Amino acid sequence: MDFTPTEEQAAARDLAAEIFADLATPERLAAAGTDSDAELWKALCAAGLPGAVEDIGLLGLVLLLEEQGRVTAQVPFAANCVYGVLAVAAHGTAEQRDRLLPALRQGSVVATGAFPARGGVTASAVGTTRAADGTTASADGVLSGIVAWVPWLRDASVVLVAADDRTLWLVRVADARVEPVELTAPWAAGRLVLDDTPGERLGGLGGLGGPGGSGAYDDVLAGARTAFAGLQAGVCAGSLARAVAHTNEREQFGRPLAAKQGVQLRAADAYMDTEAIRVTAYEAAWRRDAGLPYDTHALTAAWWASEAGKRVVHAGQHLHGGTGADLDHPVHRHFLWGRQLDAYLGCGSEVLQELGESIAAQGGTHDENSAR
């Protein structure tokens, strides 16, 4: 394994870091409330970063999302890339790729995903209906059910819906009913209500396989877990950086708080947890890009992001003392994002159970070291 970024990946990461640093300031984030930052999204798209993900792969996307997480930038970058660009590029038909990818790359069409399948949506094929972007006809079906909350749904034009049978459907948000939902983190979320809503089957009615022999559903889910784990690595790194700066500047009895052993140990634990999230996300992404099976590695990354991420953002807030309790302080935003990502990834115990069942089903062939 070699996680050293390629020249293209490093250039994209540095460009993303520059844009996020310039535009995702605490003042702009506070002014946005729970909405996304349209100007920031426009800048990212103008720089070609959503489209670059096809070339730099999932590992490249993880690097970009780390930069987003460091500043908790409010844009649908992860959702659009995972559930839009990468999903359509890997599993769409040739016609779907030609029709949908240009707009997804440019950001003029924003995608998100109703994932994973939780027993709430049924789909049935009915023949010809309107395509996901409303421009052509396509042989597909209708969907019914409710998804309690979908991240960045209020920003999206298209939502990739995972039905109960794990088939994937592209649904125009305009054809569904969207009810605003406020989450722990300001992710412009919504409740998705489908009532015989037309949908377009990703990959056509025959369906397609995915990298490493996985099906489309398994690949998109594993990719999403990996990407959002990378986002959590950035959130934790940003939280820890703020805590380090605060404890070095804040003095007690004439000495910086950072000189205290208890503070050092807490920060060291948070650093180790952050690195564990990062390296497991890198491994899963690298394996996906190399065409290797990575489902259990994505679960491992999700578990670390959920369990360790929760510890890190709590530590970051705690190390700020009373300042960390201020809802307007930037570190509190990292706390909210960290807790929301914990919930979105499935919470540690749920992910650990799924990981154990997956390893058992494979006869224990998964590398045990990567789960530690």
Side-chain angles (χ1 to χ4, degrees):
M1 292 177 290
D2 184 3
F3 304 147
T4 304
T6 64
E7 185 177 339
E8 292 78 10
Q9 289 170 337
R13 177 198 60 199
D14 294 344
L15 178 57
E18 181 179 345
I19 294 172
F20 285 129
D22 288 344
L23 295 180
T25 61
E27 294 76 20
R28 287 177 60 89
L29 291 170
T34 60
D35 294 327
S36 295
D37 188 329
E39 183 179 344
L40 174 56
W41 179 244
K42 186 181 298 184
L44 292 168
C45 294
L49 290 175
V53 172
E54 288 179 84
D55 298 321
I56 63 178
L58 186 56
L59 181 55
L61 175 58
V62 166
L63 295 173
L64 299 184
L65 292 175
E66 276 193 82
E67 300 307 322
Q68 178 185 358
R70 289 181 201 278
V71 294
T72 60
Q74 290 174 206
V75 285
F77 194 75
N80 187 68
C81 290
V82 171
Y83 300 123
V85 176
L86 291 181
V88 173
H91 304 290
T93 63
E95 187 277 331
Q96 287 172 334
R97 293 195 296 271
D98 291 342
R99 172 165 46 87
L100 296 173
L101 281 176
L104 290 168
R105 293 174 187 135
Q106 296 165 7
S108 56
V109 168
V110 175
T112 188
F115 262 76
R118 297 190 183 277
V121 176
T122 59
S124 56
V126 297
T128 299
T129 188
R130 183 166 48 191
D133 66 353
T135 59
T136 64
S138 176
D140 288 319
V142 294
L143 295 87
S144 294
I146 297 175
V147 182
W149 64 275
V150 178
W152 291 288
L153 183 61
R154 302 201 307 264
D155 292 335
S157 315
V158 176
V159 55
L160 183 63
V161 179
D164 291 353
D165 59 359
R166 298 193 171 194
T167 54
L168 304 183
W169 300 82
L170 293 160
V171 175
R172 287 200 333 153
V173 174
D175 290 334
R177 189 165 86 246
V178 174
E179 300 170 354
V181 172
E182 299 303 332
L183 304 179
T184 301
W187 284 4
R191 179 178 292 104
L192 181 67
V193 181
L194 304 170
D195 185 9
D196 285 339
T197 304
E200 175 185 3
R201 174 76 178 269
L202 182 66
L205 293 179
L208 293 173
S214 299
Y217 173 87
D218 292 331
D219 178 52
V220 174
L221 178 57
R225 283 169 165 160
T226 304
F228 282 93
L231 185 61
Q232 182 76 301
V235 169
C236 291
S239 175
L240 183 58
R242 291 188 181 280
V244 169
H246 175 79
T247 55
N248 274 286
E249 295 168 0
R250 182 83 170 180
E251 292 189 355
Q252 188 178 66
F253 305 116
R255 299 178 61 201
L257 289 174
K260 296 181 178 295
Q261 187 180 49
V263 171
Q264 294 172 0
L265 291 173
R266 190 79 189 273
D269 285 342
Y271 174 80
M272 293 300 294
D273 274 338
T274 301
E275 288 302 297
I277 299 169
R278 177 180 288 116
V279 74
T280 52
Y282 283 6
E283 181 181 9
W286 176 85
R287 290 181 66 88
R288 199 266 188 186
D289 292 342
L292 299 171
Y294 74 112
D295 292 2
T296 52
H297 299 80
L299 278 165
T300 301
W303 181 80
W304 273 105
S306 177
E307 283 291 297
K310 186 165 47 183
R311 290 196 296 266
V312 173
V313 296
H314 275 264
Q317 191 164 16
H318 187 201
L319 289 173
H320 276 77
T323 304
D326 183 356
L327 301 184
D328 295 325
H329 194 282
V331 77
H332 189 68
R333 190 176 298 274
H334 289 271
F335 175 79
L336 296 178
W337 275 65
R339 291 311 306 258
Q340 187 64 63
L341 282 163
D342 167 40
Y344 188 59
L345 289 165
C347 299
S349 58
E350 295 178 18
V351 176
L352 190 61
Q353 178 181 349
E354 186 176 347
L355 177 60
E357 291 171 350
S358 178
I359 294 173
Q362 296 177 26
T365 57
H366 178 63
D367 180 4
E368 294 181 359
N369 291 325
S370 63
R372 290 176 181 169

